[in-house]
Amino acid sequence: MALISSTSPHTTVSNNTGAFMRQVIYATLPGLAVLTWQFGWGTVINVLWAVVVALVSEALILKARGRPVAFYLKDYSAVLTAVLLALALPPTSPWWLTLIGVGFAIIVAKQLYGGLGMNPFNPAMVGYVLLLISFPVAMTQWIAPGEAPSLAQSWQLFTGQLPVDGLSGATPLDTFRTWAGNDSELASHGILDGQFAGLGWEWVNLAFLLGGLYLISRKIITWHIPAGFLGGLALPALIAWLINPVRFSDPVFQIFSGGAMLGAFFIATDPVSAATSRSGRLIYAALIGVLIWVIRSFGGYPDAVAFSVLLLNLCAPFIDYYTQPRTYGHNKANRGTNSAKQGGGS
Amino acid sequence: MIRTLFSSRSRKVYDFHGGIHPPERKALSNGTAIVPGPMPAQLILPLNMHIGAPAKPLVEPGERVLKGQMIAEPSGAVSAAIHAPTSGTVSAIGPRAIQHPSGMDAICIVIDTDGKDEWIEHAGVADYTERSPGELVDTIRHSGIAGMGGAGFPTSIKVNLGDHQRVEELVINAVECEPYITADDRLMRERADEIIAGINILQYLLNPRRTLIGIEDNKPEAISIIKRACKGCDIDVRVVPTKYPSGGEKQLIQLLTGKEVKSGQLPAQVGVVCQNVGTAYAIKRAVIDGEPLLSRVTTLTGEGVSQPGNMEVLLGTPVRDLLLHGGVDPDNIGRLVMGGPMMGFTLHNPAVPVVKTTNCIIAATLEELPEPPPEQPCIRCGSCADVCPANLLPQQLYWHAKNDDLEKAQHHNLMDCIECGACAYVCPSHIPLVQYYRYAKAEVRQQAAEQVKADKARQRFEARQARIEAEKAEKEARRQARLEANRKKKVETSAPSVDTVALKQASLEASKAYKAAVKAAKAAEAEGAANINELKAEVDRLKAEADKAKAAVRDAKDAGPAAAPTEDRVGNLKKQVGEASTAYKAAVKAAKAAEENGDDNAADLRAKADELKASADKLKAELRDAKASAPATTAAAPQADPMADLKKQVGDASSAYKAAVKAAKEAEENGADNAAELRSQADELKAKADQLKADLRDAKANAPATPTPAPAAAPADPLAELKKKVGEVSSAYKAAVKAAKEADENGADNAAELRAEADRLKAEADHWKAELREAKASAPAPATPKTPPAPTDTPKAPETEAPQALKAVDPEVAAKRQKRLKALKTAYNMAHKQYKEAHAALERGERNGDIPAEELNAMERKVDKLKGKADVARDALDALVEEAKADIRAHTGKDLKTLKLEAARAESALADKQRELEQQRDNASEVNLEALSSELQALEAEAQIARMALKQAVEEQGLQD
């Protein structure tokens, strides 16, 4: 038998990137379940459809790029992108919305940049923002919590046979944003009055939190990004709420509303487009959190996870340059780029 | 264990960043005792089993060797000896496959074993404390001990740090953190006492404040045995948690002491010395048992081995023999690893021998260590950064290494990577990260090496340019100087006016060359050029050259006025004295300033100031001389009366004499060098004065006898006066003779009377002629206004000085110096020749480019060395020549140049005079002719003397060349 000739180390973890991705996908299941419980089968249908779209577009683009299709499909990164994007889409969204969003995310935001590991932006969020800007009406129609449509209704919504209007209702974030500062109106909207946060959404976020904690326990992600994210969101919210509780929502409401937990544990933690050192990740995530609070409180959109993540994706390389850890045997960490002439490239 | 970890603050075990917990797989091999390894038919001993220079073979093929016999000696500071692990015959010394990841060949000594295992005579030291540490270090060095943990750094260097380095902690590495390996574990369990004895020797050698043994907590038996063995010793056993790579030197130091070894430094620089436990054992065997390093404990393990365990393997045993001995089915193994699974390397050829650093052989099945999975894209998950013990960002390093962006990779501290493999171990994308880092590190090193090479080439080029330029300038300066000397010689004979200009030019060029060289040297220094010393030597040489040229200009200036009329000379001297004292004062001031600033060259400046003072004093004395003698010469001109003239001369001479005596006395009192000179001058003046007095007496005596002609004329000069008198007397004599003849013919009765008168006149004429000759002889030079350059009218008459001074030269010293000069000259010529040859060879090599860089560098070094040698020889030669010249100066009061000048002047004056005589022979009067011939005689004597003085001086000092 020919002896294997390879360099050290000769043993590695049995883990692989595909397993990594699969773990993340598994961790989204509690959130998916709650979403289905609260808003019907739309999300499940979306997820399945998105996965199909992602696999097909990934295969096509890999073929076009002359890469081994099966090898790259096995890394589950396209599936994960599809799942995350589908989870963020309204359960009422028709098939073409998902198709456009996922197709754009995989083909443009990921593969045209060089494929897995090379994309500067989170592909799912690029797809999401594309849809949000292009189809704002379709993207902001959510089903009122507790009024989940039947499977048949969901399918009809998906195929576009059933108009959305009859089923849709405002989300807690939307409601608060509309009536912020008006105490009596805020009090009259039951959707804001869940067990501890917005009605329905509190459970969705709690489920994603559980999934996220599972990821941390499996060492798929570290605590830095979720902690930074939630801290960055909750701290300014707390301060503002203490100052003016009518104008600003409380921090618990903030972190258990909208895409907060999904963003904190599943979106911002995408390692490819995040900062890479530990302190860098803290800074990166905290800034995302702050930005979300700013946009939610003062911006034109009720939620802002996608925008904030994309904006901080831009900053990640820069943050990396300034957050290198102190190497063993060095008095202090290297900071910034090593020379001015190299400032632009990397 | 918890108690061990936290029992006291001083026993604290620190932590290091990262680390991994790969499956240990130690149970495979740690259950059985160490057994002797096989006795193979052939042992293959690579000359570089260690880090550093390969050992130098001491044996020849065919030679029989005994067990323990040194077969290769260390060849340099960082090297280790090699011994025959058993008795046998050296069958070959040649290339064999060695322990290298590339599977490359290297020179090995191959021994065919004879199975007798016959020991060479050997003896240990019962009590090592009786030996000095130096002796023990020597023993360790000659026992061939090199780090047994895996690096193979010669141990003798690590235990010989010198007095300036205080060892705070001696750390014994018994961690054995790599999976599979159990060699140290078994060694500790079975030979703890010997290990402790080895550690004691290390303690004796290093005298550390603390000695710490670090053992991972996965070896409880070894821990308890070592703890027992350490009872009563000053050794601290520290149990560290199992985590790879806690056995890395830097990591263990951090674990046990909390210290970090600075990047690029050695542990010794933070007061720590780290030794492997196996090394301690080897040291014990070497020192106490007298057994050099012949074998080591190696773990043979892996699922492909039927009886895994530890063996005491003879160094040089081919892995194949080991595998056979361990019952390995070669068809069942998928991967053969030398070392651990984390940092070892795969072997493709089982003929590779076990060496000093081989702690483990893993014969793994394909299932056990399967083919590495294909590399997936990096998703920057950061797992690698979490486990990196150096706290690097491996994902960034990978990114930059892959993009060949070495600068950025270095900015991320690529070179601090210890290649432990933890990052690659955890990488979910199975990226062989260490391979990328090795590649990038090799690239960085190669680039650095190329940079150094390029820098060197550039420096070499620049140095060569500078050298060529300097040589050109030097040549030009020499040419100019030669030209100048020739012109000066010519000018000396006609008109001494233009010589300084060209000399100045030469001096200017020389200083230009010097400055250019200084600039080149500075530039080279700024770049840290290797040949800076050579350039400096060049600069020094050029400076000397420039100084010489300057001195030549000065000499020329000095000599110029000497040829000018006397009054000019006095004025000139005054000026010079003024200049010299100004220079002296400035020098004193500079020296003081330098002393206050504590400059290095204060002493130099002070010496220079002293020198300037001496020259100023000399000039002053000269001025005094000139003043003293000037009246004697100038006042001799217009005289109405020969008597009065003579009287005045006598007066002047005696006053000059008195002045000279006074000056001499003064000089003696001041201890001036030229006191003797002045004294002799005074004597001379006295003789002159005496003679003049005698003349005056004669003149007085003769005056009444010749009353008529005397007052009639008003000659301009005593000699002319005398000449005229001679002419008058002789014409009177002739007239008298004619009158007497006529009287005879006429039969006049006063004929006898007339004849008597003629006789008397003839006597008188004869007397005056003699007088004239004498006068000419005594004051010939100052009295001859006919030769315009008047080289002899220097105040010091050379004929009295040179011979006198030459007597003072110590012939023994001169002879010795002559001998040395000759030897030095030969040495210099040889060195210079060698240098030229080496230089030519180097240039040829550089031009053809067919010689490897190392050889070129060696050649360059050689050229530098030879040039240095030649320079040294030349400097010594120059110094000696200067010394000799100084000697001549001291003895003759003149330097060689002046002597030469004088000789040349005398010769040319003689030639002129001869020509004049030739021209006037036909038409001049007898008197004139006579005067001329007597002048000629005097000049001839003078030239003779000057020639002799020069010759003697030159011969005395052996300066013919």
Side-chain angles (χ1 to χ4, degrees):
Chain A
M1 172 184 305
L3 293 172
I4 294 171
S5 176
S6 84
T7 59
S8 66
H10 304 286
T11 171
T12 60
V13 287
S14 53
N15 216 343
N16 64 50
T17 301
F20 216 83
M21 301 284 178
R22 281 200 304 276
Q23 291 290 326
V24 181
I25 292 166
Y26 300 154
T28 62
L29 291 179
L32 179 62
V34 174
L35 276 171
T36 309
W37 164 48
Q38 289 291 329
F39 306 110
W41 294 95
T43 308
V44 176
I45 296 168
N46 268 342
V47 166
L48 294 175
W49 170 234
V51 168
V52 171
V53 173
L55 287 174
V56 171
S57 36
E58 176 104 330
L60 287 176
I61 189 73
L62 282 171
K63 190 108 188 150
R65 288 181 63 213
R67 303 294 152 115
V69 175
F71 175 72
Y72 282 104
L73 286 184
K74 274 192 288 190
D75 67 26
Y76 284 84
S77 62
V79 177
L80 180 59
T81 298
V83 169
L84 294 177
L85 179 51
L87 288 173
L89 291 176
T92 57
S93 47
W95 61 272
W96 51 268
L97 203 66
T98 311
L99 176 72
I100 292 171
V102 173
F104 188 78
I106 297 295
I107 293 172
V108 178
K110 181 181 167 190
Q111 290 291 347
L112 289 193
Y113 279 98
L116 180 62
M118 310 294 281
N119 49 299
F121 298 105
N122 187 319
M125 290 303 102
V126 172
Y128 183 87
V129 166
L130 172 82
L131 297 177
L132 187 62
I133 294 170
S134 311
F135 313 101
V137 178
M139 286 296 288
T140 47
Q141 282 171 328
W142 276 85
I143 288 162
E147 293 170 27
S150 65
L151 178 60
Q153 279 177 311
S154 291
W155 180 252
Q156 283 174 328
L157 282 170
F158 175 69
T159 54
Q161 290 160 315
L162 186 72
V164 188
D165 304 354
L167 295 163
S168 69
T171 63
L173 278 174
D174 218 0
T175 310
F176 191 90
R177 191 175 150 272
T178 310
W179 305 111
N182 189 330
D183 202 7
S184 57
E185 279 288 350
L186 285 178
S188 71
H189 283 83
I191 194 170
L192 300 176
D193 205 14
Q195 291 297 312
F196 52 92
L199 201 62
W201 287 91
E202 55 190 1
W203 305 117
V204 173
N205 277 283
L206 194 63
F208 282 123
L209 170 63
L210 284 175
L213 292 176
Y214 166 78
L215 287 182
I216 291 176
S217 74
R218 294 299 306 267
K219 294 192 173 163
I220 303 294
I221 59 171
T222 59
W223 56 268
H224 301 82
I225 286 180
F229 185 110
L230 297 176
L233 176 57
L235 196 69
L238 175 68
I239 294 165
W241 176 68
L242 287 175
I243 293 166
N244 187 350
V246 179
R247 168 72 181 82
F248 299 103
S249 56
D250 65 86
V252 177
F253 176 82
Q254 284 280 356
I255 64 173
F256 283 95
S257 289
M261 289 296 175
L262 181 69
F265 288 92
F266 296 89
I267 307 287
T269 51
D270 167 33
V272 175
S273 53
T276 195
S277 64
R278 290 176 170 215
S279 56
R281 284 175 171 179
L282 267 176
I283 294 169
Y284 161 83
L287 289 174
I288 291 175
V290 171
L291 208 51
I292 290 172
W293 178 79
V294 169
I295 296 174
R296 277 181 179 180
S297 303
F298 308 103
Y301 289 91
D303 205 354
V305 174
F307 291 118
S308 304
V309 167
L310 290 182
L311 280 171
L312 264 297
N313 284 166
L314 272 176
C315 307
F318 179 75
I319 293 170
D320 281 341
Y321 279 126
Y322 287 89
T323 53
Q324 285 183 46
R326 183 190 66 87
T327 305
Y328 175 99
H330 288 257
N331 287 327
K332 58 183 189 14
N334 290 332
R335 288 279 179 262
T337 51
N338 44 339
S339 62
K341 70 180 155 84
Q342 292 230 329
S346 101
Chain B
M1 183 201 103
I2 298 296
R3 258 199 20 233
T4 323
L5 282 177
F6 301 107
S7 58
S8 77
R9 175 118 188 100
S10 70
R11 303 199 121 214
K12 184 185 170 186
V13 171
Y14 300 79
D15 194 13
F16 64 89
H17 181 265
I20 53 172
H21 298 92
E24 291 174 23
R25 317 226 53 173
K26 293 193 187 248
L28 267 175
S29 57
N30 70 359
T32 53
I34 299 168
V35 295
M39 171 64 77
Q42 213 172 47
L43 291 174
I44 300 160
L45 295 143
L47 293 178
N48 50 350
M49 289 197 218
H50 48 265
I51 285 178
K56 215 168 77 204
L58 295 173
V59 290
E60 296 287 329
E63 202 173 321
R64 181 173 147 76
V65 291
L66 294 175
K67 182 176 188 172
Q69 179 181 341
M70 194 192 286
I71 55 173
E73 61 177 0
S75 69
V78 183
S79 188
I82 298 169
H83 302 78
T86 185
S87 57
T89 313
V90 176
S91 60
I93 298 178
R96 296 286 186 278
I98 61 152
Q99 74 298 349
H100 192 273
S102 70
M104 68 178 194
D105 286 358
I107 302 295
C108 300
I109 298 176
V110 183
I111 298 176
D112 289 339
T113 60
D114 58 12
K116 292 179 194 154
D117 211 26
E118 203 176 317
W119 264 101
I120 196 168
E121 207 173 301
H122 67 287
V125 187
D127 183 6
Y128 60 82
T129 54
E130 284 173 357
R131 301 294 173 95
S132 73
E135 284 175 276
L136 293 180
V137 168
D138 223 41
T139 306
I140 289 168
R141 179 172 160 89
H142 286 102
S143 299
I145 300 175
M148 311 275 283
F153 191 80
T155 304
S156 57
I157 293 170
K158 276 170 97 175
V159 296
N160 187 22
L161 296 175
D163 297 333
H164 59 283
Q165 224 149 10
R166 175 90 177 99
V167 178
E168 292 288 318
E169 283 107 0
L170 169 62
V171 170
I172 303 297
N173 192 343
V175 173
E176 204 164 50
C177 61
E178 276 233 38
Y180 285 98
I181 312 175
T182 56
D184 289 348
D185 184 9
R186 289 307 313 185
L187 193 71
M188 285 188 282
R189 289 199 217 178
E190 296 171 36
R191 301 174 194 177
D193 292 333
E194 286 182 279
I195 290 168
I196 302 304
I199 295 173
N200 288 336
I201 295 169
L202 283 169
Q203 286 177 312
Y204 174 69
L205 288 174
L206 296 165
N207 191 25
R209 206 166 53 77
R210 295 193 292 169
T211 303
L212 308 165
I213 304 183
I215 312 181
E216 252 183 5
D217 59 11
N218 60 2
K219 299 182 241 317
E221 292 92 342
I223 292 169
S224 64
I225 290 169
I226 285 287
K227 274 191 172 167
R228 237 190 341 266
C230 281
K231 282 242 163 65
C233 289
D234 181 23
I235 301 173
D236 213 348
V237 181
R238 299 281 175 90
V239 179
V240 300
T242 299
K243 177 163 92 167
Y244 177 85
S246 52
E249 188 176 59
K250 290 173 174 179
Q251 281 64 44
L252 184 60
I253 289 169
Q254 195 172 19
L255 278 171
L256 298 189
T257 69
K259 293 177 182 175
E260 277 188 24
V261 181
K262 288 267 163 289
S263 177
Q265 292 192 347
L266 294 172
Q269 281 160 300
V270 291
V272 180
V273 172
C274 197
Q275 292 284 3
N276 179 262
V277 71
T279 312
Y281 173 74
I283 288 171
K284 183 263 163 186
R285 298 290 292 225
V287 172
I288 294 175
D289 306 315
E291 294 177 13
L293 185 59
L294 306 179
S295 64
R296 67 155 297 139
V297 178
T298 299
T299 306
L300 177 63
T301 184
E303 283 171 11
V305 186
S306 58
Q307 293 150 339
N310 285 283
M311 284 188 266
E312 180 135 25
V313 184
L314 295 180
L315 300 180
T317 303
V319 169
R320 187 193 290 114
D321 292 70
L322 213 59
L323 296 178
L324 284 174
H325 192 74
V328 174
D329 175 8
D331 288 335
N332 193 26
I333 55 171
R335 175 154 22 190
L336 195 55
V337 179
M338 184 177 269
M342 296 305 297
M343 291 186 77
F345 48 90
T346 50
L347 298 177
H348 8 181
N349 183 356
V352 166
V354 167
V355 295
K356 291 172 185 174
T357 55
T358 309
N359 48 11
C360 185
I361 301 286
I362 305 173
T365 62
L366 204 55
E367 294 72 39
E368 189 182 8
L369 297 179
E371 283 265 20
E375 182 180 336
Q376 287 177 288
C378 171
I379 55 167
R380 311 211 310 157
C381 65
S383 305
C384 46
D386 291 342
V387 300
C388 179
N391 208 0
L392 296 165
L393 290 176
Q395 69 273 45
Q396 304 290 77
L397 287 176
Y398 159 72
W399 185 267
H400 297 313
K402 199 176 177 183
N403 290 323
D404 262 336
D405 193 344
L406 298 179
E407 230 174 295
K408 278 225 170 66
Q410 286 179 83
H411 184 60
H412 281 86
N413 300 326
L414 168 72
M415 303 316 271
D416 288 295
C417 169
I418 59 168
E419 298 177 27
C420 67
C423 50
Y425 175 79
V426 297
C427 181
S429 291
H430 305 291
I431 302 167
L433 292 164
V434 182
Q435 196 176 341
Y436 282 99
Y437 307 151
R438 281 200 193 108
Y439 158 77
K441 280 163 122 177
E443 284 288 296
V444 167
R445 287 196 198 99
Q446 196 185 334
Q447 277 191 5
E450 263 165 25
Q451 188 60 45
V452 167
K453 219 165 114 188
D455 283 350
K456 258 199 138 165
R458 189 168 48 77
Q459 281 161 10
R460 208 157 42 203
F461 175 74
E462 279 171 3
R464 185 164 168 269
Q465 285 307 97
R467 196 168 55 218
I468 287 169
E469 243 164 67
E471 269 167 14
K472 226 156 84 186
E474 196 187 324
K475 234 180 234 168
E476 181 60 25
R478 264 207 304 266
R479 200 178 66 84
Q480 289 289 349
R482 210 166 41 235
L483 223 66
E484 211 35 60
N486 288 344
R487 204 177 305 156
K488 201 161 142 196
K489 236 184 238 167
K490 265 184 223 155
V491 165
E492 286 299 337
T493 57
S494 51
S497 54
V498 274
D499 56 347
T500 47
V501 177
L503 267 180
K504 266 183 195 161
Q505 179 70 24
S507 157
L508 219 66
E509 245 151 78
S511 55
K512 218 154 104 193
Y514 161 60
K515 274 173 195 159
V518 167
K519 213 167 145 195
K522 268 191 191 150
E525 198 163 20
E527 274 144 34
N531 55 350
I532 182 74
N533 290 332
E534 189 199 328
L535 279 173
K536 274 187 184 157
E538 184 79 29
V539 167
D540 288 348
R541 202 168 55 68
L542 283 170
K543 179 153 169 53
E545 202 84 29
D547 286 350
K548 230 189 251 170
K550 272 186 202 156
V553 172
R554 248 202 321 275
D555 278 0
K557 274 187 187 156
D558 287 352
T566 336
E567 51 267 38
D568 268 357
R569 171 158 172 77
V570 173
N572 237 318
L573 270 175
K574 270 185 192 159
K575 207 169 147 198
Q576 276 183 41
V577 167
E579 274 167 5
S581 34
T582 320
Y584 163 60
K585 276 170 196 162
V588 167
K589 210 169 148 192
K592 267 190 191 152
E595 268 165 355
E596 272 163 27
N597 297 340
D599 285 359
D600 294 347
N601 56 350
D604 276 5
L605 284 171
R606 175 66 61 191
K608 207 171 199 175
D610 288 349
E611 214 173 278
L612 282 169
K613 175 150 172 57
S615 73
D617 286 351
K618 201 172 165 196
L619 280 168
K620 271 184 199 158
E622 234 166 279
L623 177 61
R624 258 200 311 274
D625 284 357
K627 273 184 185 159
S629 57
T633 50
T634 48
Q639 285 302 324
D641 181 332
M643 284 283 273
D645 179 32
L646 268 175
K647 267 184 200 160
K648 194 158 188 250
Q649 276 186 42
V650 169
D652 284 345
S654 42
S655 65
Y657 162 61
K658 276 170 197 160
V661 167
K662 204 174 157 195
K665 267 192 190 150
E666 232 171 274
E668 267 165 354
E669 273 163 27
N670 297 340
D673 293 345
N674 57 348
E677 203 181 301
L678 285 171
R679 173 66 61 192
S680 74
Q681 213 157 346
D683 288 349
E684 194 193 320
L685 283 168
K686 180 164 166 49
K688 214 185 219 167
D690 286 352
Q691 212 211 321
L692 280 167
K693 270 184 199 157
D695 273 4
L696 184 61
R697 255 200 313 280
D698 281 0
K700 270 183 188 159
N702 290 331
T706 52
T708 32
D717 156 351
L719 269 178
E721 181 91 32
L722 277 171
K723 274 182 203 159
K724 201 167 172 194
K725 211 179 249 167
V726 168
E728 274 167 10
V729 175
S730 38
S731 58
Y733 161 59
K734 279 172 191 163
V737 168
K738 208 176 165 184
K741 266 188 186 163
E742 267 176 17
D744 268 355
E745 275 167 18
N746 299 342
D749 44 6
N750 61 345
E753 204 186 308
L754 280 171
R755 185 155 302 280
E757 177 71 10
D759 283 343
R760 197 185 60 79
L761 279 169
K762 177 159 172 49
E764 199 179 326
D766 284 343
H767 167 78
W768 281 112
K769 270 183 197 165
E771 186 82 40
L772 180 61
R773 247 201 315 279
E774 223 170 282
K776 272 181 188 161
S778 67
T784 45
K786 273 177 197 164
T787 47
T792 46
D793 73 353
T794 43
K796 305 170 208 164
E799 63 263 42
T800 52
E801 259 177 66
Q804 211 177 38
L806 286 169
K807 274 177 217 148
V809 174
D810 183 352
E812 213 170 297
V813 170
K816 220 187 261 171
R817 178 155 42 222
Q818 227 164 321
K819 221 187 246 169
R820 262 175 64 205
L821 256 179
K822 209 167 159 192
L824 263 176
K825 241 178 269 163
T826 317
Y828 168 65
N829 284 340
M830 264 169 65
H832 191 68
K833 201 173 154 207
Q834 276 176 346
Y835 158 62
K836 280 276 171 206
E837 277 167 6
H839 187 240
L842 174 64
E843 288 205 338
R844 215 166 30 242
E846 273 173 341
R847 208 168 39 243
N848 298 343
D850 53 356
I851 295 172
E854 299 93 64
E855 229 166 285
L856 262 182
N857 285 340
M859 279 170 79
E860 199 192 345
R861 274 198 298 280
K862 196 171 150 199
V863 169
D864 287 352
K865 217 170 82 192
L866 286 170
K867 170 114 178 86
K869 240 179 173 170
D871 284 349
V872 166
R874 197 190 23 223
D875 286 350
L877 192 60
D878 281 352
L880 207 60
V881 168
E882 283 305 321
E883 200 183 306
K885 280 182 184 165
D887 234 25
I888 292 174
R889 209 175 298 133
H891 287 313
T892 62
K894 296 168 188 169
D895 54 27
L896 191 62
K897 206 173 268 168
T898 320
L899 276 176
K900 275 183 188 161
L901 224 63
E902 270 170 8
R905 268 189 209 143
E907 299 276 8
S908 66
L910 181 63
D912 274 0
K913 197 52 65 181
Q914 267 168 343
R915 255 199 315 281
E916 201 183 334
L917 187 64
E918 287 304 313
Q919 279 167 5
Q920 297 196 352
R921 178 147 293 164
D922 304 326
N923 47 15
S925 67
E926 196 194 333
V927 183
N928 261 351
L929 274 180
E930 206 153 352
L932 271 175
S933 64
S934 65
E935 272 172 40
L936 190 63
Q937 247 170 348
L939 279 172
E940 209 159 356
E942 199 182 316
Q944 185 68 28
I945 285 160
R947 262 200 303 268
M948 243 172 63
L950 178 62
K951 196 174 160 219
Q952 207 167 341
V954 162
E955 274 175 6
E956 291 274 357
Q957 306 297 343
L959 286 177
Q960 287 94 329
D961 309 304

